[in-house]
Amino acid sequence: MTQRFNSSRGLPLLLASLLVLAGCSLAPTYERPLLDTPAAFKEAAAGDSQWKPAQPAEAQPRGDWWTIFADDTLNALENQALAANQDLKAAAARLAQARALEQNARSGLFPQVGVGFGPTRQRPSPASQGLAADADTTPTTLWRAQGTVAYEADLFGRVRSGADAAGADALQQRALFQSVLLALQADVAQAYFLVRELDATAALYSETVELRGQTLRLFQRRFDEGDISELDLARARTELAAAQSEALGVARQRAVAEHALAILLGQAPAAFSLPPQPLARLTVRIPAGLPSALLERRPDIAAAEYAMAAANARIGAARAAYFPRLNLTGAFGYESADLGDLFKWSSRSFLLGPLVGTALSLPLLDGGARRAGVDFANAKHEEEVANYRQAVLKAFKEVEDNLAGLRLLDAQNQAQDEAVSASRRAARLSHIQYREGSVSYLSVIDADRSVLQQQRVAVSLDGERARATVGLIRALGGSWGEAPAPAAGASDPAAPAAGQAAAATGSAPSAATPAGATAGPMATAAK
């Protein structure tokens, strides 16, 4: 004797069971890897820094940090780059793509509803109707108008894990956008200071060429009067030509640097020109203690952590492939052989269950495909863990490099200033002794060359100091002071790419942020 299924009691029980299973997740609990971080910056003065667990803040606004240099031209160039740089627009487009993919992944958590209308024309075979093989069957037309619904019950968290992974990908792209933005700002400042350094070098050579030109004219008169030999005249001509050649070399370097700056600004080199302005020595000084909120803003570390979180979620999706998938489908509407009878009450129909296949499915043999998927997801997670650790170590290295550079540049600048002063005095003495006839003109040439060389080194050190200061700001994720508020009417750093970047920096964090994914193990310096 068969027992009939009681749908009024069994259906609620089935739905309750599905809800319980839908809350399950096979993704591993998200945990950040531990890092063996140093107790303090090696290049920081004793007692200046101590360490605490970081709270990543890559989405915090950094303000117009370049205004600490008090250079109106640099301020204008930064705003131009934020508005027109193509790499920044590409990064904003990648962020928009990631957010669209996240929305697409999250759509799988909800039922898909649709409507349809149309006829089907069919002719059944005689055999399907129990007729003779030569019997004639009549083709029929069936009209349908119905609504459909499809839904995959997320029994073991496969859909949820995929949505969480896509959400972490979107957060990673947001952090990468911030990384591109900070890198662009730093690149513009460093390229600008390089051009200004070359302007200062060109000014040195311009002065040198003028002085050696005056010397050559003087020597020509003295040679014409028979006071000096032709050897001294030839040496004066050599020094003038050499200075002119080196000045042209500096001009060539300056042109290349200006072209690179134009590309950062989103302009063709032919359409951009920066008037000469020699670099002055910066007076910006690093404070004794660096607050932890600065290094926490490094967006590349946040991007590496979000990539790790996405890989962790995909492990759950790969594991869920071992368990059954339940696809619920249904349709309700009308069907009729005649179009005129389609919407009559007697023409109503419904369907529960898939048209093809079964609702509950589980592959038994797949040749190791599911095992390969889990192995791949685990290996990808291990890769992202290593990338995250490397990003943290790289951050420490960059801060240490720039701290060491600025600390040693202070002492080097002082020593170089003394060298410039001494070389100038030696040059003055050599000119006096030459006029008195106690030394040859070779001594004068050597002394003048020494002055030019020492001045060039001093200018180069000033340029290195400016670029190292920008490098430290970039390594810290922004300026070491309070982020200055943007000036009235200044362009928003998140405004390029037709508003895409505004969404990149101004939106709330995605709902897919993994539990605890906003704080990392990175230790940073605390005041």
Side-chain angles (χ1 to χ4, degrees), residues 144-167:
R144 286 190 178 91
Q146 61 186 16
T148 61
V149 61
Y151 176 67
E152 178 182 349
D154 196 15
L155 299 185
F156 299 94
R158 185 190 70 84
V159 179
R160 171 65 64 179
S161 294
D164 289 345

mmCIF file with all atom_site columns, all heavy atoms in Angstrom, residues 144-167:
data_model
loop_
_atom_site.group_PDB
_atom_site.id
_atom_site.type_symbol
_atom_site.label_atom_id
_atom_site.label_alt_id
_atom_site.label_comp_id
_atom_site.label_asym_id
_atom_site.label_entity_id
_atom_site.label_seq_id
_atom_site.pdbx_PDB_ins_code
_atom_site.Cartn_x
_atom_site.Cartn_y
_atom_site.Cartn_z
_atom_site.occupancy
_atom_site.B_iso_or_equiv
_atom_site.pdbx_formal_charge
_atom_site.auth_seq_id
_atom_site.auth_comp_id
_atom_site.auth_asym_id
_atom_site.auth_atom_id
_atom_site.pdbx_PDB_model_num
ATOM 1   N N   . ARG A 1 144 ? 0.803  30.379 -24.752 1.00 0.00 ? 144 ARG A N   1
ATOM 2   C CA  . ARG A 1 144 ? 1.111  30.492 -23.330 1.00 0.00 ? 144 ARG A CA  1
ATOM 3   C C   . ARG A 1 144 ? 1.375  31.956 -22.964 1.00 0.00 ? 144 ARG A C   1
ATOM 4   O O   . ARG A 1 144 ? 2.012  32.695 -23.716 1.00 0.00 ? 144 ARG A O   1
ATOM 5   C CB  . ARG A 1 144 ? 2.355  29.679 -22.939 1.00 0.00 ? 144 ARG A CB  1
ATOM 6   C CG  . ARG A 1 144 ? 2.143  28.182 -22.893 1.00 0.00 ? 144 ARG A CG  1
ATOM 7   C CD  . ARG A 1 144 ? 3.358  27.500 -22.258 1.00 0.00 ? 144 ARG A CD  1
ATOM 8   N NE  . ARG A 1 144 ? 3.182  26.061 -22.161 1.00 0.00 ? 144 ARG A NE  1
ATOM 9   C CZ  . ARG A 1 144 ? 3.557  25.184 -23.087 1.00 0.00 ? 144 ARG A CZ  1
ATOM 10  N NH1 . ARG A 1 144 ? 4.131  25.628 -24.204 1.00 0.00 ? 144 ARG A NH1 1
ATOM 11  N NH2 . ARG A 1 144 ? 3.368  23.892 -22.910 1.00 0.00 ? 144 ARG A NH2 1
ATOM 12  N N   . ALA A 1 145 ? 0.883  32.328 -21.798 1.00 0.00 ? 145 ALA A N   1
ATOM 13  C CA  . ALA A 1 145 ? 1.214  33.622 -21.185 1.00 0.00 ? 145 ALA A CA  1
ATOM 14  C C   . ALA A 1 145 ? 1.423  33.337 -19.700 1.00 0.00 ? 145 ALA A C   1
ATOM 15  O O   . ALA A 1 145 ? 0.478  32.931 -19.006 1.00 0.00 ? 145 ALA A O   1
ATOM 16  C CB  . ALA A 1 145 ? 0.097  34.637 -21.382 1.00 0.00 ? 145 ALA A CB  1
ATOM 17  N N   . GLN A 1 146 ? 2.668  33.515 -19.218 1.00 0.00 ? 146 GLN A N   1
ATOM 18  C CA  . GLN A 1 146 ? 2.956  33.084 -17.853 1.00 0.00 ? 146 GLN A CA  1
ATOM 19  C C   . GLN A 1 146 ? 4.094  33.898 -17.240 1.00 0.00 ? 146 GLN A C   1
ATOM 20  O O   . GLN A 1 146 ? 4.883  34.529 -17.934 1.00 0.00 ? 146 GLN A O   1
ATOM 21  C CB  . GLN A 1 146 ? 3.331  31.597 -17.835 1.00 0.00 ? 146 GLN A CB  1
ATOM 22  C CG  . GLN A 1 146 ? 4.567  31.269 -18.662 1.00 0.00 ? 146 GLN A CG  1
ATOM 23  C CD  . GLN A 1 146 ? 4.842  29.770 -18.761 1.00 0.00 ? 146 GLN A CD  1
ATOM 24  O OE1 . GLN A 1 146 ? 3.980  28.950 -18.463 1.00 0.00 ? 146 GLN A OE1 1
ATOM 25  N NE2 . GLN A 1 146 ? 6.045  29.424 -19.174 1.00 0.00 ? 146 GLN A NE2 1
ATOM 26  N N   . GLY A 1 147 ? 4.104  33.877 -15.924 1.00 0.00 ? 147 GLY A N   1
ATOM 27  C CA  . GLY A 1 147 ? 5.229  34.424 -15.176 1.00 0.00 ? 147 GLY A CA  1
ATOM 28  C C   . GLY A 1 147 ? 6.086  33.296 -14.650 1.00 0.00 ? 147 GLY A C   1
ATOM 29  O O   . GLY A 1 147 ? 5.583  32.208 -14.330 1.00 0.00 ? 147 GLY A O   1
ATOM 30  N N   . THR A 1 148 ? 7.403  33.518 -14.587 1.00 0.00 ? 148 THR A N   1
ATOM 31  C CA  . THR A 1 148 ? 8.338  32.475 -14.146 1.00 0.00 ? 148 THR A CA  1
ATOM 32  C C   . THR A 1 148 ? 9.159  32.987 -12.976 1.00 0.00 ? 148 THR A C   1
ATOM 33  O O   . THR A 1 148 ? 9.396  34.197 -12.829 1.00 0.00 ? 148 THR A O   1
ATOM 34  C CB  . THR A 1 148 ? 9.277  32.065 -15.290 1.00 0.00 ? 148 THR A CB  1
ATOM 35  O OG1 . THR A 1 148 ? 10.045 33.213 -15.708 1.00 0.00 ? 148 THR A OG1 1
ATOM 36  C CG2 . THR A 1 148 ? 8.489  31.518 -16.477 1.00 0.00 ? 148 THR A CG2 1
ATOM 37  N N   . VAL A 1 149 ? 9.595  32.070 -12.144 1.00 0.00 ? 149 VAL A N   1
ATOM 38  C CA  . VAL A 1 149 ? 10.475 32.390 -11.022 1.00 0.00 ? 149 VAL A CA  1
ATOM 39  C C   . VAL A 1 149 ? 11.504 31.274 -10.896 1.00 0.00 ? 149 VAL A C   1
ATOM 40  O O   . VAL A 1 149 ? 11.178 30.091 -11.069 1.00 0.00 ? 149 VAL A O   1
ATOM 41  C CB  . VAL A 1 149 ? 9.668  32.559 -9.712  1.00 0.00 ? 149 VAL A CB  1
ATOM 42  C CG1 . VAL A 1 149 ? 8.937  31.271 -9.357  1.00 0.00 ? 149 VAL A CG1 1
ATOM 43  C CG2 . VAL A 1 149 ? 10.574 32.975 -8.562  1.00 0.00 ? 149 VAL A CG2 1
ATOM 44  N N   . ALA A 1 150 ? 12.750 31.667 -10.651 1.00 0.00 ? 150 ALA A N   1
ATOM 45  C CA  . ALA A 1 150 ? 13.844 30.705 -10.480 1.00 0.00 ? 150 ALA A CA  1
ATOM 46  C C   . ALA A 1 150 ? 14.693 31.150 -9.294  1.00 0.00 ? 150 ALA A C   1
ATOM 47  O O   . ALA A 1 150 ? 14.967 32.349 -9.120  1.00 0.00 ? 150 ALA A O   1
ATOM 48  C CB  . ALA A 1 150 ? 14.686 30.613 -11.748 1.00 0.00 ? 150 ALA A CB  1
ATOM 49  N N   . TYR A 1 151 ? 15.116 30.200 -8.519  1.00 0.00 ? 151 TYR A N   1
ATOM 50  C CA  . TYR A 1 151 ? 15.895 30.527 -7.312  1.00 0.00 ? 151 TYR A CA  1
ATOM 51  C C   . TYR A 1 151 ? 16.757 29.335 -6.931  1.00 0.00 ? 151 TYR A C   1
ATOM 52  O O   . TYR A 1 151 ? 16.271 28.199 -6.897  1.00 0.00 ? 151 TYR A O   1
ATOM 53  C CB  . TYR A 1 151 ? 14.965 30.878 -6.155  1.00 0.00 ? 151 TYR A CB  1
ATOM 54  C CG  . TYR A 1 151 ? 15.686 31.135 -4.848  1.00 0.00 ? 151 TYR A CG  1
ATOM 55  C CD1 . TYR A 1 151 ? 16.510 32.245 -4.695  1.00 0.00 ? 151 TYR A CD1 1
ATOM 56  C CD2 . TYR A 1 151 ? 15.546 30.263 -3.779  1.00 0.00 ? 151 TYR A CD2 1
ATOM 57  C CE1 . TYR A 1 151 ? 17.171 32.483 -3.502  1.00 0.00 ? 151 TYR A CE1 1
ATOM 58  C CE2 . TYR A 1 151 ? 16.205 30.500 -2.572  1.00 0.00 ? 151 TYR A CE2 1
ATOM 59  C CZ  . TYR A 1 151 ? 17.011 31.607 -2.443  1.00 0.00 ? 151 TYR A CZ  1
ATOM 60  O OH  . TYR A 1 151 ? 17.671 31.830 -1.265  1.00 0.00 ? 151 TYR A OH  1
ATOM 61  N N   . GLU A 1 152 ? 18.052 29.607 -6.689  1.00 0.00 ? 152 GLU A N   1
ATOM 62  C CA  . GLU A 1 152 ? 18.931 28.557 -6.182  1.00 0.00 ? 152 GLU A CA  1
ATOM 63  C C   . GLU A 1 152 ? 19.046 28.717 -4.678  1.00 0.00 ? 152 GLU A C   1
ATOM 64  O O   . GLU A 1 152 ? 19.561 29.729 -4.186  1.00 0.00 ? 152 GLU A O   1
ATOM 65  C CB  . GLU A 1 152 ? 20.319 28.628 -6.815  1.00 0.00 ? 152 GLU A CB  1
ATOM 66  C CG  . GLU A 1 152 ? 21.251 27.558 -6.255  1.00 0.00 ? 152 GLU A CG  1
ATOM 67  C CD  . GLU A 1 152 ? 22.658 27.627 -6.830  1.00 0.00 ? 152 GLU A CD  1
ATOM 68  O OE1 . GLU A 1 152 ? 22.869 28.361 -7.812  1.00 0.00 ? 152 GLU A OE1 1
ATOM 69  O OE2 . GLU A 1 152 ? 23.550 26.944 -6.277  1.00 0.00 ? 152 GLU A OE2 1
ATOM 70  N N   . ALA A 1 153 ? 18.558 27.740 -3.940  1.00 0.00 ? 153 ALA A N   1
ATOM 71  C CA  . ALA A 1 153 ? 18.685 27.780 -2.481  1.00 0.00 ? 153 ALA A CA  1
ATOM 72  C C   . ALA A 1 153 ? 20.153 27.628 -2.110  1.00 0.00 ? 153 ALA A C   1
ATOM 73  O O   . ALA A 1 153 ? 20.804 26.651 -2.496  1.00 0.00 ? 153 ALA A O   1
ATOM 74  C CB  . ALA A 1 153 ? 17.849 26.664 -1.853  1.00 0.00 ? 153 ALA A CB  1
ATOM 75  N N   . ASP A 1 154 ? 20.675 28.611 -1.394  1.00 0.00 ? 154 ASP A N   1
ATOM 76  C CA  . ASP A 1 154 ? 22.104 28.608 -1.055  1.00 0.00 ? 154 ASP A CA  1
ATOM 77  C C   . ASP A 1 154 ? 22.345 27.671 0.128   1.00 0.00 ? 154 ASP A C   1
ATOM 78  O O   . ASP A 1 154 ? 22.612 28.096 1.260   1.00 0.00 ? 154 ASP A O   1
ATOM 79  C CB  . ASP A 1 154 ? 22.537 30.043 -0.713  1.00 0.00 ? 154 ASP A CB  1
ATOM 80  C CG  . ASP A 1 154 ? 24.045 30.205 -0.722  1.00 0.00 ? 154 ASP A CG  1
ATOM 81  O OD1 . ASP A 1 154 ? 24.738 29.318 -1.266  1.00 0.00 ? 154 ASP A OD1 1
ATOM 82  O OD2 . ASP A 1 154 ? 24.539 31.205 -0.171  1.00 0.00 ? 154 ASP A OD2 1
ATOM 83  N N   . LEU A 1 155 ? 22.277 26.362 -0.167  1.00 0.00 ? 155 LEU A N   1
ATOM 84  C CA  . LEU A 1 155 ? 22.289 25.374 0.909   1.00 0.00 ? 155 LEU A CA  1
ATOM 85  C C   . LEU A 1 155 ? 23.583 25.391 1.715   1.00 0.00 ? 155 LEU A C   1
ATOM 86  O O   . LEU A 1 155 ? 23.566 25.320 2.940   1.00 0.00 ? 155 LEU A O   1
ATOM 87  C CB  . LEU A 1 155 ? 22.066 23.979 0.321   1.00 0.00 ? 155 LEU A CB  1
ATOM 88  C CG  . LEU A 1 155 ? 20.741 23.752 -0.411  1.00 0.00 ? 155 LEU A CG  1
ATOM 89  C CD1 . LEU A 1 155 ? 20.612 22.299 -0.833  1.00 0.00 ? 155 LEU A CD1 1
ATOM 90  C CD2 . LEU A 1 155 ? 19.563 24.144 0.472   1.00 0.00 ? 155 LEU A CD2 1
ATOM 91  N N   . PHE A 1 156 ? 24.701 25.487 1.049   1.00 0.00 ? 156 PHE A N   1
ATOM 92  C CA  . PHE A 1 156 ? 25.984 25.393 1.750   1.00 0.00 ? 156 PHE A CA  1
ATOM 93  C C   . PHE A 1 156 ? 26.855 26.623 1.523   1.00 0.00 ? 156 PHE A C   1
ATOM 94  O O   . PHE A 1 156 ? 28.078 26.541 1.574   1.00 0.00 ? 156 PHE A O   1
ATOM 95  C CB  . PHE A 1 156 ? 26.720 24.112 1.321   1.00 0.00 ? 156 PHE A CB  1
ATOM 96  C CG  . PHE A 1 156 ? 25.949 22.861 1.662   1.00 0.00 ? 156 PHE A CG  1
ATOM 97  C CD1 . PHE A 1 156 ? 25.114 22.269 0.729   1.00 0.00 ? 156 PHE A CD1 1
ATOM 98  C CD2 . PHE A 1 156 ? 26.031 22.308 2.924   1.00 0.00 ? 156 PHE A CD2 1
ATOM 99  C CE1 . PHE A 1 156 ? 24.389 21.125 1.048   1.00 0.00 ? 156 PHE A CE1 1
ATOM 100 C CE2 . PHE A 1 156 ? 25.314 21.166 3.249   1.00 0.00 ? 156 PHE A CE2 1
ATOM 101 C CZ  . PHE A 1 156 ? 24.486 20.576 2.316   1.00 0.00 ? 156 PHE A CZ  1
ATOM 102 N N   . GLY A 1 157 ? 26.220 27.752 1.271   1.00 0.00 ? 157 GLY A N   1
ATOM 103 C CA  . GLY A 1 157 ? 26.946 29.013 1.206   1.00 0.00 ? 157 GLY A CA  1
ATOM 104 C C   . GLY A 1 157 ? 27.724 29.249 -0.058  1.00 0.00 ? 157 GLY A C   1
ATOM 105 O O   . GLY A 1 157 ? 28.577 30.138 -0.100  1.00 0.00 ? 157 GLY A O   1
ATOM 106 N N   . ARG A 1 158 ? 27.443 28.481 -1.138  1.00 0.00 ? 158 ARG A N   1
ATOM 107 C CA  . ARG A 1 158 ? 28.213 28.681 -2.363  1.00 0.00 ? 158 ARG A CA  1
ATOM 108 C C   . ARG A 1 158 ? 27.974 30.064 -2.940  1.00 0.00 ? 158 ARG A C   1
ATOM 109 O O   . ARG A 1 158 ? 28.920 30.778 -3.295  1.00 0.00 ? 158 ARG A O   1
ATOM 110 C CB  . ARG A 1 158 ? 27.832 27.614 -3.399  1.00 0.00 ? 158 ARG A CB  1
ATOM 111 C CG  . ARG A 1 158 ? 28.671 27.651 -4.678  1.00 0.00 ? 158 ARG A CG  1
ATOM 112 C CD  . ARG A 1 158 ? 28.087 26.741 -5.744  1.00 0.00 ? 158 ARG A CD  1
ATOM 113 N NE  . ARG A 1 158 ? 26.838 27.286 -6.241  1.00 0.00 ? 158 ARG A NE  1
ATOM 114 C CZ  . ARG A 1 158 ? 26.772 28.207 -7.202  1.00 0.00 ? 158 ARG A CZ  1
ATOM 115 N NH1 . ARG A 1 158 ? 27.874 28.702 -7.734  1.00 0.00 ? 158 ARG A NH1 1
ATOM 116 N NH2 . ARG A 1 158 ? 25.592 28.640 -7.624  1.00 0.00 ? 158 ARG A NH2 1
ATOM 117 N N   . VAL A 1 159 ? 26.707 30.458 -3.039  1.00 0.00 ? 159 VAL A N   1
ATOM 118 C CA  . VAL A 1 159 ? 26.389 31.763 -3.621  1.00 0.00 ? 159 VAL A CA  1
ATOM 119 C C   . VAL A 1 159 ? 26.875 32.883 -2.705  1.00 0.00 ? 159 VAL A C   1
ATOM 120 O O   . VAL A 1 159 ? 27.446 33.881 -3.156  1.00 0.00 ? 159 VAL A O   1
ATOM 121 C CB  . VAL A 1 159 ? 24.878 31.879 -3.868  1.00 0.00 ? 159 VAL A CB  1
ATOM 122 C CG1 . VAL A 1 159 ? 24.533 33.248 -4.462  1.00 0.00 ? 159 VAL A CG1 1
ATOM 123 C CG2 . VAL A 1 159 ? 24.407 30.776 -4.811  1.00 0.00 ? 159 VAL A CG2 1
ATOM 124 N N   . ARG A 1 160 ? 26.664 32.728 -1.397  1.00 0.00 ? 160 ARG A N   1
ATOM 125 C CA  . ARG A 1 160 ? 27.105 33.753 -0.455  1.00 0.00 ? 160 ARG A CA  1
ATOM 126 C C   . ARG A 1 160 ? 28.618 33.913 -0.476  1.00 0.00 ? 160 ARG A C   1
ATOM 127 O O   . ARG A 1 160 ? 29.134 35.030 -0.443  1.00 0.00 ? 160 ARG A O   1
ATOM 128 C CB  . ARG A 1 160 ? 26.632 33.376 0.950   1.00 0.00 ? 160 ARG A CB  1
ATOM 129 C CG  . ARG A 1 160 ? 27.204 34.232 2.070   1.00 0.00 ? 160 ARG A CG  1
ATOM 130 C CD  . ARG A 1 160 ? 26.750 35.673 1.983   1.00 0.00 ? 160 ARG A CD  1
ATOM 131 N NE  . ARG A 1 160 ? 25.314 35.794 2.165   1.00 0.00 ? 160 ARG A NE  1
ATOM 132 C CZ  . ARG A 1 160 ? 24.672 36.952 2.145   1.00 0.00 ? 160 ARG A CZ  1
ATOM 133 N NH1 . ARG A 1 160 ? 25.344 38.071 1.913   1.00 0.00 ? 160 ARG A NH1 1
ATOM 134 N NH2 . ARG A 1 160 ? 23.362 36.999 2.307   1.00 0.00 ? 160 ARG A NH2 1
ATOM 135 N N   . SER A 1 161 ? 29.346 32.803 -0.564  1.00 0.00 ? 161 SER A N   1
ATOM 136 C CA  . SER A 1 161 ? 30.805 32.894 -0.618  1.00 0.00 ? 161 SER A CA  1
ATOM 137 C C   . SER A 1 161 ? 31.266 33.624 -1.868  1.00 0.00 ? 161 SER A C   1
ATOM 138 O O   . SER A 1 161 ? 32.193 34.439 -1.830  1.00 0.00 ? 161 SER A O   1
ATOM 139 C CB  . SER A 1 161 ? 31.423 31.490 -0.566  1.00 0.00 ? 161 SER A CB  1
ATOM 140 O OG  . SER A 1 161 ? 31.177 30.865 0.679   1.00 0.00 ? 161 SER A OG  1
ATOM 141 N N   . GLY A 1 162 ? 30.596 33.343 -2.998  1.00 0.00 ? 162 GLY A N   1
ATOM 142 C CA  . GLY A 1 162 ? 30.947 34.053 -4.224  1.00 0.00 ? 162 GLY A CA  1
ATOM 143 C C   . GLY A 1 162 ? 30.667 35.541 -4.126  1.00 0.00 ? 162 GLY A C   1
ATOM 144 O O   . GLY A 1 162 ? 31.454 36.369 -4.600  1.00 0.00 ? 162 GLY A O   1
ATOM 145 N N   . ALA A 1 163 ? 29.538 35.880 -3.479  1.00 0.00 ? 163 ALA A N   1
ATOM 146 C CA  . ALA A 1 163 ? 29.214 37.298 -3.308  1.00 0.00 ? 163 ALA A CA  1
ATOM 147 C C   . ALA A 1 163 ? 30.209 37.980 -2.373  1.00 0.00 ? 163 ALA A C   1
ATOM 148 O O   . ALA A 1 163 ? 30.633 39.115 -2.611  1.00 0.00 ? 163 ALA A O   1
ATOM 149 C CB  . ALA A 1 163 ? 27.795 37.441 -2.770  1.00 0.00 ? 163 ALA A CB  1
ATOM 150 N N   . ASP A 1 164 ? 30.609 37.296 -1.298  1.00 0.00 ? 164 ASP A N   1
ATOM 151 C CA  . ASP A 1 164 ? 31.600 37.872 -0.386  1.00 0.00 ? 164 ASP A CA  1
ATOM 152 C C   . ASP A 1 164 ? 32.938 38.072 -1.080  1.00 0.00 ? 164 ASP A C   1
ATOM 153 O O   . ASP A 1 164 ? 33.619 39.077 -0.860  1.00 0.00 ? 164 ASP A O   1
ATOM 154 C CB  . ASP A 1 164 ? 31.777 36.965 0.835   1.00 0.00 ? 164 ASP A CB  1
ATOM 155 C CG  . ASP A 1 164 ? 30.568 36.996 1.761   1.00 0.00 ? 164 ASP A CG  1
ATOM 156 O OD1 . ASP A 1 164 ? 29.740 37.921 1.610   1.00 0.00 ? 164 ASP A OD1 1
ATOM 157 O OD2 . ASP A 1 164 ? 30.457 36.105 2.614   1.00 0.00 ? 164 ASP A OD2 1
ATOM 158 N N   . ALA A 1 165 ? 33.324 37.106 -1.917  1.00 0.00 ? 165 ALA A N   1
ATOM 159 C CA  . ALA A 1 165 ? 34.581 37.244 -2.657  1.00 0.00 ? 165 ALA A CA  1
ATOM 160 C C   . ALA A 1 165 ? 34.524 38.432 -3.608  1.00 0.00 ? 165 ALA A C   1
ATOM 161 O O   . ALA A 1 165 ? 35.486 39.205 -3.721  1.00 0.00 ? 165 ALA A O   1
ATOM 162 C CB  . ALA A 1 165 ? 34.880 35.959 -3.431  1.00 0.00 ? 165 ALA A CB  1
ATOM 163 N N   . ALA A 1 166 ? 33.394 38.596 -4.298  1.00 0.00 ? 166 ALA A N   1
ATOM 164 C CA  . ALA A 1 166 ? 33.256 39.737 -5.210  1.00 0.00 ? 166 ALA A CA  1
ATOM 165 C C   . ALA A 1 166 ? 33.265 41.050 -4.444  1.00 0.00 ? 166 ALA A C   1
ATOM 166 O O   . ALA A 1 166 ? 33.813 42.056 -4.910  1.00 0.00 ? 166 ALA A O   1
ATOM 167 C CB  . ALA A 1 166 ? 31.967 39.599 -6.022  1.00 0.00 ? 166 ALA A CB  1
ATOM 168 N N   . GLY A 1 167 ? 32.656 41.052 -3.244  1.00 0.00 ? 167 GLY A N   1
ATOM 169 C CA  . GLY A 1 167 ? 32.697 42.264 -2.427  1.00 0.00 ? 167 GLY A CA  1
ATOM 170 C C   . GLY A 1 167 ? 34.107 42.609 -1.993  1.00 0.00 ? 167 GLY A C   1
ATOM 171 O O   . GLY A 1 167 ? 34.502 43.781 -1.998  1.00 0.00 ? 167 GLY A O   1
#
